[in-house]
Amino acid sequence: MSLFKARDWWSTTSSSDEEYDQGCLCVSNIDNDQGGVYKIVTGSFVGVLRIYSPKPDWQDGGGGSAGFKPEDLLLEQQLNHPIIQLAAGKFVSVNDLTHLAVLQPRRLSVYRVGVIEGAVEHGNQYQLKLVYEHVLQRSSCCMEQGPFGGVTGKDFLCVLSMDGTLSIFEQETFAFTRFIPGFLLPGPVRYVARTDSFLIASSSWQLESYKYQTLAVAIDTAKQESQMISSGKRVLATWSFNMGEAALDVHVVTFPSAPPSILVLGERNIFCLSDVGKLRFMQKIDYNPSSMFPYASLSDGKVNYMVCSHTKSLMIYEDTKLMWAAQLPRVPVCICTATLHNQSGLIVTLDDSGHVQCSYLGTDPSFFIAPAIEARDINYNEKNAEMKELQRFIRASTNNEAYLTNASEDDLEMTVTVPSNLDAITLAQDVKIRDDTIPSVSVTVSLSCRQPIANVLLSIDCAPPLSATQTAVSFASVVEVTTVIGFYLNETFIPSSVTANAVATYNTASGAPRVVVREIKLPLLLVMKAVPPMKTATHKITIDTNKPPVNLNELFPDLLGMNAHGAGQAIGLQFFGTNPEKAVVTILASKTSQRYRLQCDSLDCLWLPTKELIEKLVKYYSQGQKTDLKISYIGNLPLQEYFTVVEEHFQLRIMREKHKHVLSDRAAQFRAIQRRLLMRFKDKTPAPLANLDTLLEGTYQQLLALSEAFEETEWELERTASSVTSATKLLNLLITLSHGMMQREADILEACLSPDVLIASDEQGWEERVDVAVAHMLRTCLAKAGKDLGQVATSLLTMPTDLTKFQKHIKLLCDRLAKTGHLSLGTEADSEQTEVEAEAADDESPDSVVPVDSQVAESNSSKKGI
C-alpha cells in the first residue's frame, strides 16, 4: 500500500446496474474538433455509449476540482446490443476523419460523431450517425486496428471470434477469415506495424506471432472468401514465446524514445519482448494485476509503463525499476493517458462499475507538527504500587474462569451421545472375526452453531482394532445437524483403548481455521462379553482400597450375562475373537478384606478391565461429591511378564527388517534377470536362454511368498503393538498406584514410559525412543545425588540388537521410584521456588521496593554482596 494517493482531477459515475471490462474505454478527438480536444468514450455491457469532455472548475482557495458537471456529458445513447470494445481511427475510405468503431457480439459498427452548433453557449448538439456496419457470423471476443499490409493513411479492423477465427475488414469491405491453429480460449490480440504481424495470446500460455501476408495467402483456391468458412490451410506462427502463465493484456510500444517492444501483462510476471520475440527483460510481481498501459519515456532506451492492481494501487515502472506508487480509490479495468484541455499527463481509469476518473500524480504537504512531550518527574513509589497491583490482577485472572474468552458467533458446538445399550441389529461390516457375533454401538454426533457455517468436515479417529462405519462426513452448511456413527470390533487382537475422537474442522467467516475435538468413550461390553470365571490364571493383580468391597453385580450391571445370578463375588470377561483358554479375565471381590483381584493368562488383557474397575469404584463412592477413597497396589510389578510382551514386539520388528532386505534383494535379482532376457530377445542372432526363464519364474514365486510373509508380519506387528500399548498402560497404572503419585507425576511417568507405539515409523522404533527417555530420566530427575546428574548423554535412536539395556533401564526406573516415592522435573521445582519467591516479594512493604538501576538499588545490592 502506497503512502501517496492519486490526486482527483475529474470523475463521474454511470448507472449502478452497468458493467465494464477491458476495451470499454477510448480517449480520442472523436468529434474531429479543430482545437484537437480529446474526449473520453465509454461503452457498457448493457449497450450504453457515453462521450465526456471534462472541463473541471477549480474551487476557491485551492481546494481542488469541483468535479463532474452536466455539460461534461456530450452524448449518451442506448445501442441495441452490448458493447464489447471501442476503437478510434480512420475507418472510412472517403475521408481521413476520425471515426468510432464499436464491437458488439454479432456486429462491427463504425459511427461518426457529428456536432450541430447552436445559437447559445450550451446549444451544441452531438449526434451519433452510423456510417457502415458488418454483420458477424461468429460471436466476437475482441478487435484490433492498424494499417494492415503496410497501407498508409488508413486503418483496418481485425476481429477475433470465440471459436478462434480472425476476420479482417478493410474499412467497408470484408477481406478474409482465417483459423488460428490449436485454439481453445480467446486472448488479447495486438498488431505490430513494424513487422506487419498479429500477436495472439493463446490458451497454451504462449504468445504467437502471425504475418499478415501469411494469413492473407492461406486460402483454399477452390473456395471463395467468406465468414462462413469451416476449413482452410493451416497457418504457421512466425515465432512463439512460452510465458508459462496466462496473458491478461498485451501492448505494443512504438514511441520514438523507446526501443520497439512488446509488453505482456501476466498473472505473476511482466514480460518485455522485442518485436521479433526475444526477451528483453522480465519483472516478477507479488500482487494481482488488473490492467497495464505504456507511455512515452523521457529517457532514451527505456520503456515506461503503468500497472494497476486489485489492491487499488498504481505502480509506475521504468523497465524493471519501480519509480512511483500511488493509491487509487477503485480497481481499474482500463487505464490510459490523455491530454484534456491543455492538461497533459492525466491518467484516465475506468472500473468495472463505470466510474471514470481523471487523476494525476502528486503529493500534498503535511502541516501537522507533533506537540512537544511534557516533561515530568517519575514517582517510583506509585509505579511500583501499580506494578504490584497489575501482577496480582494477572495471577487472579489466570485462575478465574470469568476472564475466559466468550464464545463467538461462528463457534461450532459438538455434542456426543453414547447409548448405554448395544444395537439390536449389528452394524459391523467386513469383520475379520468369524467365531462370534460382533456387536456394535451407534453414537449420535450433533453439530450446532448460531450462524450458518459452510464446508464442515467431521472426522472420526479410533485406534485399531476398533472401526467406524464412517470415518469422514462432510457438510456443505451447518446450523444444526446430527449424524450417527457406528463402532465395532474389527480385528482379532486385544484393543488398548475403547475411546475414539470426533474432530470437526471448518473455517470461520473471516477465514480463520477452527478445530473442535470431542472424546467418545465407548462401553466396555462393545469389546468384551461375559463368560464363566476361571479359578486359576498366570497373571494376577491385587487392588487394595480403604472401603468395604462392593458387589460386582452393582459395579458391572451391563457385563453380567451368565454371571447375573451369582453372588457378585466373581465375574468372568472375555474379548471377542480371542482364545477362551487364555483371554478370560476374572474379577474377584474379597469377602473379608478390602481388596479386588484381577487374573488372566495374558498380561495385556488385564489393562481395560483394571481401568474400568477403578473408574467404577471412584464413581460408586463419589456419586457427585468428593470422597476419601484411596486405591493402591501392593505387590511386585509384573516386569518379567511385561518384558515378554515387549520382546515379542521387538522380534517381529527384526523379522520385518529381514523380510525387507530379502525382498529388496529378490526384486533387484528379478530386474537383473529381466534385463538379461530382454537383451537375449533383442539379439538378432538367436541364443539359448540358459534357464533364465526358469530362474525368472522361481524369483517371481519367491517375491510373491516374501510379500505375503511381509504382510503377515505387518499384521502381527500391529497386534503386538496393541499388546505393548495395553501392557505399558497397565504398568504405568500399577506404578502410580503403588507409590501414590499425583496426576502431574503420573503424566510425567507416561511421557517417559510412553504407551504410544507407532508401527508406521521405520527410522525410530518404540523401544529405542522409550529407552532414551528412561535413560534421560535416570540421569536427571531420578539421578543419585552428585553421581549421575552431570552425566547427561545423547543416544542415537538406532535399532538395538537386543533389549538388555532397555530392560535394565526399566528396572532401574522402578527401583529409583520405589526409593524416592515421587517423580518431578527440575524445571517444575525451579518454577515452584520462583513462585514462592515472587509471592514473598509481593508481601514486602512498598518502601523496600526500589527501581532497577537506581542509586538506592546499587547501594542495597552492594550491602548484600551481590
Short mmCIF file of all heavy atoms in Angstrom, two decimals, residues 85 87 91 101-103 108 110 132 134 136 140-149 155-161 164-171 173-178 180 187-192 197-200 210-212 215 227:
data_model
loop_
_atom_site.label_atom_id
_atom_site.label_comp_id
_atom_site.label_asym_id
_atom_site.label_seq_id
_atom_site.Cartn_x
_atom_site.Cartn_y
_atom_site.Cartn_z
N GLN A 85 -16.03 -3.63 -27.17
CA GLN A 85 -14.79 -2.89 -27.30
C GLN A 85 -15.04 -1.65 -28.14
O GLN A 85 -15.91 -1.64 -29.03
CB GLN A 85 -13.69 -3.76 -27.92
CG GLN A 85 -12.30 -3.13 -27.87
CD GLN A 85 -11.23 -4.09 -28.35
OE1 GLN A 85 -11.48 -5.30 -28.46
NE2 GLN A 85 -10.04 -3.59 -28.64
N ALA A 87 -12.91 1.60 -30.38
CA ALA A 87 -11.66 1.98 -31.03
C ALA A 87 -11.91 3.22 -31.87
O ALA A 87 -13.01 3.41 -32.43
CB ALA A 87 -11.11 0.85 -31.90
N PHE A 91 -11.38 4.83 -40.28
CA PHE A 91 -12.05 3.61 -40.74
C PHE A 91 -12.92 3.82 -41.98
O PHE A 91 -13.61 2.88 -42.40
CB PHE A 91 -12.92 3.04 -39.61
CG PHE A 91 -12.17 2.75 -38.35
CD1 PHE A 91 -12.62 3.22 -37.13
CD2 PHE A 91 -11.00 2.03 -38.37
CE1 PHE A 91 -11.94 2.97 -35.96
CE2 PHE A 91 -10.29 1.76 -37.21
CZ PHE A 91 -10.76 2.24 -36.00
N ALA A 101 -15.28 2.99 -33.90
CA ALA A 101 -15.64 1.60 -34.18
C ALA A 101 -16.16 0.96 -32.89
O ALA A 101 -15.51 1.05 -31.85
CB ALA A 101 -14.45 0.82 -34.71
N VAL A 102 -17.32 0.32 -32.98
CA VAL A 102 -17.97 -0.30 -31.83
C VAL A 102 -18.14 -1.79 -32.14
O VAL A 102 -18.78 -2.16 -33.12
CB VAL A 102 -19.33 0.35 -31.53
CG1 VAL A 102 -19.98 -0.33 -30.33
CG2 VAL A 102 -19.17 1.84 -31.27
N LEU A 103 -17.52 -2.63 -31.31
CA LEU A 103 -17.64 -4.07 -31.47
C LEU A 103 -18.72 -4.59 -30.55
O LEU A 103 -18.69 -4.36 -29.33
CB LEU A 103 -16.31 -4.75 -31.15
CG LEU A 103 -16.30 -6.29 -31.23
CD1 LEU A 103 -16.55 -6.74 -32.67
CD2 LEU A 103 -14.98 -6.86 -30.71
N LEU A 108 -20.06 -5.31 -36.07
CA LEU A 108 -18.96 -4.37 -36.04
C LEU A 108 -19.43 -3.11 -36.75
O LEU A 108 -19.60 -3.09 -37.98
CB LEU A 108 -17.71 -4.96 -36.73
CG LEU A 108 -16.52 -4.02 -36.84
CD1 LEU A 108 -16.04 -3.56 -35.48
CD2 LEU A 108 -15.37 -4.69 -37.60
N VAL A 110 -19.31 1.18 -37.42
CA VAL A 110 -18.47 2.38 -37.48
C VAL A 110 -19.39 3.59 -37.49
O VAL A 110 -20.28 3.70 -38.34
CB VAL A 110 -17.56 2.36 -38.72
CG1 VAL A 110 -16.77 3.66 -38.82
CG2 VAL A 110 -16.60 1.18 -38.66
N TYR A 132 -21.29 2.64 -41.50
CA TYR A 132 -21.49 1.30 -42.06
C TYR A 132 -21.33 0.29 -40.92
O TYR A 132 -20.83 0.63 -39.84
CB TYR A 132 -20.50 0.99 -43.19
CG TYR A 132 -19.06 0.95 -42.77
CD1 TYR A 132 -18.47 -0.23 -42.30
CD2 TYR A 132 -18.25 2.09 -42.85
CE1 TYR A 132 -17.14 -0.28 -41.92
CE2 TYR A 132 -16.92 2.04 -42.48
CZ TYR A 132 -16.38 0.86 -42.00
OH TYR A 132 -15.07 0.83 -41.62
N HIS A 134 -20.71 -4.23 -40.24
CA HIS A 134 -20.50 -5.59 -40.73
C HIS A 134 -21.22 -6.54 -39.78
O HIS A 134 -21.04 -6.48 -38.55
CB HIS A 134 -19.01 -5.94 -40.77
CG HIS A 134 -18.22 -5.12 -41.73
ND1 HIS A 134 -18.27 -5.30 -43.10
CD2 HIS A 134 -17.35 -4.09 -41.51
CE1 HIS A 134 -17.46 -4.44 -43.68
NE2 HIS A 134 -16.89 -3.68 -42.74
N LEU A 136 -21.47 -9.99 -38.19
CA LEU A 136 -20.52 -11.08 -37.91
C LEU A 136 -21.26 -12.40 -37.84
O LEU A 136 -22.34 -12.50 -37.24
CB LEU A 136 -19.78 -10.81 -36.59
CG LEU A 136 -19.07 -9.46 -36.49
CD1 LEU A 136 -18.42 -9.30 -35.12
CD2 LEU A 136 -18.03 -9.31 -37.60
N SER A 140 -18.11 -12.58 -31.36
CA SER A 140 -16.82 -11.88 -31.29
C SER A 140 -16.32 -11.84 -29.86
O SER A 140 -17.08 -11.93 -28.89
CB SER A 140 -16.97 -10.47 -31.84
OG SER A 140 -17.91 -9.73 -31.06
N CYS A 141 -15.01 -11.66 -29.72
CA CYS A 141 -14.37 -11.54 -28.43
C CYS A 141 -13.66 -10.21 -28.27
O CYS A 141 -13.83 -9.52 -27.27
CB CYS A 141 -13.38 -12.69 -28.22
SG CYS A 141 -12.38 -12.53 -26.73
N CYS A 142 -12.84 -9.83 -29.25
CA CYS A 142 -12.11 -8.57 -29.19
C CYS A 142 -11.73 -8.18 -30.61
O CYS A 142 -11.91 -8.94 -31.56
CB CYS A 142 -10.87 -8.69 -28.30
SG CYS A 142 -9.72 -9.97 -28.80
N MET A 143 -11.18 -6.96 -30.75
CA MET A 143 -10.77 -6.48 -32.07
C MET A 143 -9.47 -5.70 -31.95
O MET A 143 -9.06 -5.29 -30.86
CB MET A 143 -11.85 -5.61 -32.70
CG MET A 143 -12.09 -4.30 -32.01
SD MET A 143 -13.30 -3.29 -32.88
CE MET A 143 -13.44 -1.89 -31.79
N GLU A 144 -8.83 -5.47 -33.10
CA GLU A 144 -7.59 -4.72 -33.18
C GLU A 144 -7.61 -3.90 -34.46
O GLU A 144 -8.22 -4.30 -35.47
CB GLU A 144 -6.38 -5.66 -33.14
CG GLU A 144 -5.03 -5.00 -33.32
CD GLU A 144 -4.68 -4.03 -32.21
OE1 GLU A 144 -5.52 -3.75 -31.31
OE2 GLU A 144 -3.55 -3.52 -32.22
N GLN A 145 -6.97 -2.73 -34.43
CA GLN A 145 -6.93 -1.84 -35.58
C GLN A 145 -5.48 -1.60 -35.97
O GLN A 145 -4.57 -1.83 -35.19
CB GLN A 145 -7.58 -0.51 -35.23
CG GLN A 145 -6.80 0.29 -34.20
CD GLN A 145 -7.47 1.58 -33.83
OE1 GLN A 145 -8.40 1.60 -33.03
NE2 GLN A 145 -6.98 2.67 -34.41
N GLY A 146 -5.29 -1.14 -37.23
CA GLY A 146 -3.95 -0.82 -37.69
C GLY A 146 -3.86 -0.80 -39.19
O GLY A 146 -4.78 -1.25 -39.91
N PRO A 147 -2.76 -0.33 -39.71
CA PRO A 147 -2.56 -0.30 -41.18
C PRO A 147 -2.08 -1.65 -41.68
O PRO A 147 -0.89 -1.82 -42.02
CB PRO A 147 -1.50 0.80 -41.35
CG PRO A 147 -0.72 0.77 -40.08
CD PRO A 147 -1.68 0.37 -38.99
N PHE A 148 -2.97 -2.62 -41.73
CA PHE A 148 -2.58 -3.97 -42.12
C PHE A 148 -2.05 -3.97 -43.55
O PHE A 148 -2.61 -3.32 -44.44
CB PHE A 148 -3.78 -4.92 -42.03
CG PHE A 148 -4.47 -4.91 -40.69
CD1 PHE A 148 -5.80 -5.30 -40.58
CD2 PHE A 148 -3.79 -4.52 -39.54
CE1 PHE A 148 -6.44 -5.30 -39.36
CE2 PHE A 148 -4.42 -4.52 -38.31
CZ PHE A 148 -5.76 -4.89 -38.22
N GLY A 149 -1.00 -4.72 -43.74
CA GLY A 149 -0.41 -4.82 -45.07
C GLY A 149 0.46 -3.66 -45.45
O GLY A 149 0.90 -3.56 -46.60
N ASP A 155 -6.89 2.82 -41.61
CA ASP A 155 -6.90 1.85 -40.52
C ASP A 155 -7.88 0.74 -40.85
O ASP A 155 -9.05 1.01 -41.18
CB ASP A 155 -7.30 2.51 -39.20
CG ASP A 155 -6.20 3.40 -38.64
OD1 ASP A 155 -5.03 3.07 -38.85
OD2 ASP A 155 -6.52 4.43 -38.01
N PHE A 156 -7.40 -0.50 -40.81
CA PHE A 156 -8.25 -1.66 -41.00
C PHE A 156 -8.60 -2.25 -39.63
O PHE A 156 -7.97 -1.93 -38.61
CB PHE A 156 -7.56 -2.72 -41.87
CG PHE A 156 -7.29 -2.25 -43.27
CD1 PHE A 156 -6.34 -2.88 -44.07
CD2 PHE A 156 -7.99 -1.16 -43.80
CE1 PHE A 156 -6.10 -2.45 -45.35
CE2 PHE A 156 -7.75 -0.72 -45.09
CZ PHE A 156 -6.79 -1.35 -45.87
N LEU A 157 -9.58 -3.15 -39.63
CA LEU A 157 -10.04 -3.77 -38.38
C LEU A 157 -9.91 -5.28 -38.48
O LEU A 157 -10.13 -5.88 -39.55
CB LEU A 157 -11.50 -3.39 -38.10
CG LEU A 157 -11.76 -1.92 -37.75
CD1 LEU A 157 -13.25 -1.63 -37.71
CD2 LEU A 157 -11.14 -1.59 -36.40
N CYS A 158 -9.57 -5.87 -37.34
CA CYS A 158 -9.44 -7.33 -37.22
C CYS A 158 -10.26 -7.77 -36.02
O CYS A 158 -10.11 -7.20 -34.92
CB CYS A 158 -7.98 -7.73 -37.06
SG CYS A 158 -7.72 -9.44 -36.56
N VAL A 159 -11.10 -8.77 -36.17
CA VAL A 159 -11.99 -9.25 -35.12
C VAL A 159 -11.63 -10.71 -34.82
O VAL A 159 -11.58 -11.54 -35.74
CB VAL A 159 -13.47 -9.13 -35.51
CG1 VAL A 159 -14.36 -9.69 -34.41
CG2 VAL A 159 -13.82 -7.67 -35.79
N LEU A 160 -11.37 -11.00 -33.55
CA LEU A 160 -11.13 -12.38 -33.09
C LEU A 160 -12.42 -12.92 -32.49
O LEU A 160 -12.99 -12.31 -31.57
CB LEU A 160 -10.01 -12.41 -32.05
CG LEU A 160 -9.71 -13.78 -31.43
CD1 LEU A 160 -9.19 -14.75 -32.47
CD2 LEU A 160 -8.72 -13.65 -30.28
N SER A 161 -12.88 -14.06 -33.00
CA SER A 161 -14.13 -14.65 -32.52
C SER A 161 -13.85 -15.63 -31.40
O SER A 161 -12.70 -15.97 -31.10
CB SER A 161 -14.86 -15.36 -33.67
OG SER A 161 -14.07 -16.42 -34.16
N GLY A 164 -11.94 -18.92 -32.40
CA GLY A 164 -10.57 -18.87 -32.87
C GLY A 164 -10.40 -18.50 -34.33
O GLY A 164 -9.45 -18.99 -34.96
N THR A 165 -11.24 -17.65 -34.88
CA THR A 165 -11.07 -17.19 -36.25
C THR A 165 -10.77 -15.70 -36.24
O THR A 165 -11.32 -14.93 -35.45
CB THR A 165 -12.34 -17.45 -37.09
OG1 THR A 165 -13.46 -16.77 -36.47
CG2 THR A 165 -12.63 -18.93 -37.18
N LEU A 166 -9.87 -15.29 -37.15
CA LEU A 166 -9.54 -13.89 -37.35
C LEU A 166 -10.24 -13.42 -38.62
O LEU A 166 -10.02 -13.97 -39.71
CB LEU A 166 -8.03 -13.70 -37.50
CG LEU A 166 -7.19 -13.68 -36.22
CD1 LEU A 166 -5.72 -13.57 -36.58
CD2 LEU A 166 -7.60 -12.54 -35.32
N SER A 167 -11.06 -12.38 -38.47
CA SER A 167 -11.77 -11.80 -39.62
C SER A 167 -11.20 -10.42 -39.87
O SER A 167 -11.19 -9.57 -38.97
CB SER A 167 -13.27 -11.72 -39.35
OG SER A 167 -13.81 -13.01 -39.13
N ILE A 168 -10.71 -10.18 -41.09
CA ILE A 168 -10.09 -8.91 -41.48
C ILE A 168 -11.10 -8.11 -42.30
O ILE A 168 -11.68 -8.62 -43.27
CB ILE A 168 -8.80 -9.15 -42.28
CG1 ILE A 168 -7.86 -10.10 -41.52
CG2 ILE A 168 -8.10 -7.83 -42.57
CD1 ILE A 168 -7.42 -9.59 -40.18
N PHE A 169 -11.27 -6.84 -41.90
CA PHE A 169 -12.17 -5.92 -42.61
C PHE A 169 -11.36 -4.71 -43.04
O PHE A 169 -10.81 -3.97 -42.19
CB PHE A 169 -13.33 -5.48 -41.71
CG PHE A 169 -14.21 -6.61 -41.25
CD1 PHE A 169 -13.96 -7.24 -40.04
CD2 PHE A 169 -15.26 -7.05 -42.03
CE1 PHE A 169 -14.76 -8.27 -39.62
CE2 PHE A 169 -16.07 -8.09 -41.60
CZ PHE A 169 -15.82 -8.70 -40.39
N GLU A 170 -11.25 -4.54 -44.36
CA GLU A 170 -10.54 -3.39 -44.91
C GLU A 170 -11.56 -2.27 -45.12
O GLU A 170 -12.14 -2.11 -46.19
CB GLU A 170 -9.85 -3.77 -46.22
CG GLU A 170 -8.77 -4.84 -46.03
CD GLU A 170 -8.10 -5.22 -47.33
OE1 GLU A 170 -8.59 -4.76 -48.40
OE2 GLU A 170 -7.10 -5.95 -47.29
N GLN A 171 -11.80 -1.57 -44.01
CA GLN A 171 -12.78 -0.50 -43.93
C GLN A 171 -14.17 -1.05 -44.28
O GLN A 171 -14.68 -1.92 -43.58
CB GLN A 171 -12.36 0.68 -44.79
CG GLN A 171 -11.06 1.32 -44.28
CD GLN A 171 -10.64 2.52 -45.06
OE1 GLN A 171 -11.07 2.73 -46.19
NE2 GLN A 171 -9.78 3.35 -44.47
N THR A 173 -15.07 -3.04 -46.56
CA THR A 173 -15.04 -4.30 -47.31
C THR A 173 -14.52 -5.42 -46.42
O THR A 173 -13.52 -5.24 -45.69
CB THR A 173 -14.14 -4.17 -48.55
OG1 THR A 173 -14.57 -3.04 -49.31
CG2 THR A 173 -14.21 -5.43 -49.39
N PHE A 174 -15.18 -6.56 -46.51
CA PHE A 174 -14.68 -7.75 -45.83
C PHE A 174 -13.55 -8.36 -46.65
O PHE A 174 -13.68 -8.55 -47.87
CB PHE A 174 -15.81 -8.77 -45.65
CG PHE A 174 -15.33 -10.15 -45.27
CD1 PHE A 174 -14.86 -10.41 -43.99
CD2 PHE A 174 -15.31 -11.17 -46.22
CE1 PHE A 174 -14.41 -11.67 -43.65
CE2 PHE A 174 -14.87 -12.43 -45.87
CZ PHE A 174 -14.41 -12.69 -44.59
N ALA A 175 -12.42 -8.67 -45.99
CA ALA A 175 -11.24 -9.19 -46.70
C ALA A 175 -11.19 -10.71 -46.64
O ALA A 175 -11.34 -11.39 -47.66
CB ALA A 175 -9.96 -8.59 -46.10
N PHE A 176 -10.97 -11.30 -45.44
CA PHE A 176 -10.87 -12.76 -45.35
C PHE A 176 -11.01 -13.17 -43.89
O PHE A 176 -10.97 -12.33 -42.96
CB PHE A 176 -9.54 -13.27 -45.93
CG PHE A 176 -8.32 -12.67 -45.30
CD1 PHE A 176 -7.78 -13.20 -44.12
CD2 PHE A 176 -7.70 -11.56 -45.86
CE1 PHE A 176 -6.66 -12.65 -43.53
CE2 PHE A 176 -6.58 -11.00 -45.27
CZ PHE A 176 -6.06 -11.55 -44.10
N THR A 177 -11.16 -14.48 -43.68
CA THR A 177 -11.25 -15.09 -42.36
C THR A 177 -10.30 -16.28 -42.31
O THR A 177 -10.26 -17.09 -43.24
CB THR A 177 -12.69 -15.57 -42.07
OG1 THR A 177 -13.55 -14.44 -42.01
CG2 THR A 177 -12.75 -16.29 -40.72
N ARG A 178 -9.54 -16.37 -41.23
CA ARG A 178 -8.59 -17.46 -41.09
C ARG A 178 -8.72 -18.08 -39.69
O ARG A 178 -9.02 -17.40 -38.71
CB ARG A 178 -7.15 -16.96 -41.27
CG ARG A 178 -6.85 -16.42 -42.65
CD ARG A 178 -6.88 -17.51 -43.70
NE ARG A 178 -6.59 -16.97 -45.02
CZ ARG A 178 -7.51 -16.59 -45.89
NH1 ARG A 178 -8.79 -16.70 -45.59
NH2 ARG A 178 -7.15 -16.11 -47.07
N ILE A 180 -7.07 -19.92 -36.41
CA ILE A 180 -5.83 -19.96 -35.65
C ILE A 180 -5.61 -21.41 -35.19
O ILE A 180 -6.48 -22.00 -34.55
CB ILE A 180 -5.87 -19.01 -34.45
CG1 ILE A 180 -6.16 -17.59 -34.92
CG2 ILE A 180 -4.56 -19.07 -33.68
CD1 ILE A 180 -5.15 -17.05 -35.89
N GLY A 187 -7.83 -14.81 -26.36
CA GLY A 187 -6.97 -13.96 -25.56
C GLY A 187 -6.76 -12.63 -26.25
O GLY A 187 -7.36 -12.33 -27.29
N PRO A 188 -5.90 -11.78 -25.71
CA PRO A 188 -5.64 -10.47 -26.32
C PRO A 188 -5.01 -10.60 -27.70
O PRO A 188 -4.24 -11.52 -27.98
CB PRO A 188 -4.69 -9.80 -25.32
CG PRO A 188 -4.86 -10.55 -24.04
CD PRO A 188 -5.20 -11.95 -24.42
N VAL A 189 -5.33 -9.63 -28.58
CA VAL A 189 -4.80 -9.57 -29.94
C VAL A 189 -4.21 -8.18 -30.16
O VAL A 189 -4.87 -7.17 -29.83
CB VAL A 189 -5.88 -9.87 -31.00
CG1 VAL A 189 -5.31 -9.73 -32.40
CG2 VAL A 189 -6.43 -11.26 -30.81
N ARG A 190 -3.00 -8.11 -30.67
CA ARG A 190 -2.37 -6.83 -30.98
C ARG A 190 -1.69 -6.91 -32.35
O ARG A 190 -1.28 -7.99 -32.80
CB ARG A 190 -1.33 -6.46 -29.91
CG ARG A 190 -1.93 -6.08 -28.58
CD ARG A 190 -2.71 -4.78 -28.67
NE ARG A 190 -3.27 -4.39 -27.38
CZ ARG A 190 -4.48 -4.71 -26.96
NH1 ARG A 190 -5.27 -5.43 -27.75
NH2 ARG A 190 -4.91 -4.32 -25.78
N TYR A 191 -1.55 -5.71 -32.99
CA TYR A 191 -0.92 -5.62 -34.32
C TYR A 191 0.39 -4.87 -34.18
O TYR A 191 0.46 -3.80 -33.56
CB TYR A 191 -1.84 -4.89 -35.29
CG TYR A 191 -1.21 -4.64 -36.64
CD1 TYR A 191 -1.00 -5.67 -37.55
CD2 TYR A 191 -0.82 -3.35 -37.00
CE1 TYR A 191 -0.42 -5.43 -38.79
CE2 TYR A 191 -0.24 -3.09 -38.23
CZ TYR A 191 -0.04 -4.14 -39.12
OH TYR A 191 0.53 -3.90 -40.35
N VAL A 192 1.45 -5.45 -34.76
CA VAL A 192 2.78 -4.84 -34.77
C VAL A 192 3.02 -4.30 -36.17
O VAL A 192 3.18 -5.07 -37.14
CB VAL A 192 3.87 -5.86 -34.38
CG1 VAL A 192 5.23 -5.17 -34.33
CG2 VAL A 192 3.55 -6.50 -33.05
N SER A 197 2.53 -7.90 -38.44
CA SER A 197 2.12 -9.20 -37.92
C SER A 197 1.16 -9.01 -36.75
O SER A 197 1.09 -7.92 -36.14
CB SER A 197 3.35 -10.02 -37.48
OG SER A 197 4.09 -9.32 -36.50
N PHE A 198 0.44 -10.08 -36.46
CA PHE A 198 -0.51 -10.09 -35.35
C PHE A 198 0.08 -10.89 -34.19
O PHE A 198 0.72 -11.93 -34.41
CB PHE A 198 -1.85 -10.72 -35.77
CG PHE A 198 -2.62 -9.87 -36.74
CD1 PHE A 198 -2.57 -10.12 -38.10
CD2 PHE A 198 -3.40 -8.82 -36.28
CE1 PHE A 198 -3.29 -9.33 -38.99
CE2 PHE A 198 -4.12 -8.03 -37.17
CZ PHE A 198 -4.06 -8.29 -38.53
N LEU A 199 -0.16 -10.40 -32.99
CA LEU A 199 0.23 -11.11 -31.76
C LEU A 199 -1.03 -11.66 -31.11
O LEU A 199 -1.98 -10.90 -30.87
CB LEU A 199 0.96 -10.17 -30.80
CG LEU A 199 2.25 -9.53 -31.30
CD1 LEU A 199 2.78 -8.55 -30.27
CD2 LEU A 199 3.29 -10.59 -31.60
N ILE A 200 -1.03 -12.94 -30.81
CA ILE A 200 -2.18 -13.60 -30.19
C ILE A 200 -1.69 -14.37 -28.97
O ILE A 200 -0.76 -15.18 -29.06
CB ILE A 200 -2.88 -14.56 -31.19
CG1 ILE A 200 -3.36 -13.79 -32.42
CG2 ILE A 200 -4.04 -15.28 -30.51
CD1 ILE A 200 -3.99 -14.66 -33.47
N TYR A 210 1.85 -14.03 -36.08
CA TYR A 210 1.44 -14.46 -37.41
C TYR A 210 1.58 -13.29 -38.38
O TYR A 210 1.05 -12.20 -38.12
CB TYR A 210 0.00 -14.97 -37.42
CG TYR A 210 -0.22 -16.21 -36.57
CD1 TYR A 210 -0.60 -16.10 -35.24
CD2 TYR A 210 -0.06 -17.48 -37.11
CE1 TYR A 210 -0.80 -17.22 -34.46
CE2 TYR A 210 -0.26 -18.61 -36.34
CZ TYR A 210 -0.63 -18.48 -35.02
OH TYR A 210 -0.84 -19.59 -34.26
N LYS A 211 2.28 -13.49 -39.48
CA LYS A 211 2.43 -12.47 -40.51
C LYS A 211 1.09 -12.23 -41.20
O LYS A 211 0.32 -13.17 -41.47
CB LYS A 211 3.47 -12.90 -41.55
CG LYS A 211 4.92 -12.85 -41.07
CD LYS A 211 5.43 -11.41 -41.09
CE LYS A 211 6.92 -11.39 -40.81
NZ LYS A 211 7.45 -10.00 -40.87
N TYR A 212 0.85 -10.96 -41.52
CA TYR A 212 -0.39 -10.63 -42.23
C TYR A 212 -0.40 -11.25 -43.62
O TYR A 212 -1.43 -11.76 -44.08
CB TYR A 212 -0.54 -9.11 -42.31
CG TYR A 212 -1.76 -8.66 -43.06
CD1 TYR A 212 -3.03 -8.71 -42.49
CD2 TYR A 212 -1.66 -8.19 -44.37
CE1 TYR A 212 -4.15 -8.31 -43.20
CE2 TYR A 212 -2.77 -7.79 -45.09
CZ TYR A 212 -4.02 -7.85 -44.49
OH TYR A 212 -5.14 -7.45 -45.19
N LEU A 215 -1.29 -14.91 -43.44
CA LEU A 215 -2.73 -15.12 -43.27
C LEU A 215 -3.49 -14.83 -44.56
O LEU A 215 -4.48 -15.51 -44.88
CB LEU A 215 -3.26 -14.24 -42.13
CG LEU A 215 -2.71 -14.51 -40.73
CD1 LEU A 215 -3.20 -13.47 -39.76
CD2 LEU A 215 -3.12 -15.90 -40.26
N GLN A 227 -17.09 -15.33 -44.38
CA GLN A 227 -17.05 -15.54 -42.94
C GLN A 227 -17.57 -16.91 -42.55
O GLN A 227 -17.37 -17.35 -41.42
CB GLN A 227 -17.88 -14.47 -42.22
CG GLN A 227 -17.33 -13.08 -42.34
CD GLN A 227 -18.06 -12.11 -41.44
OE1 GLN A 227 -18.18 -12.34 -40.24
NE2 GLN A 227 -18.55 -11.03 -42.02
#
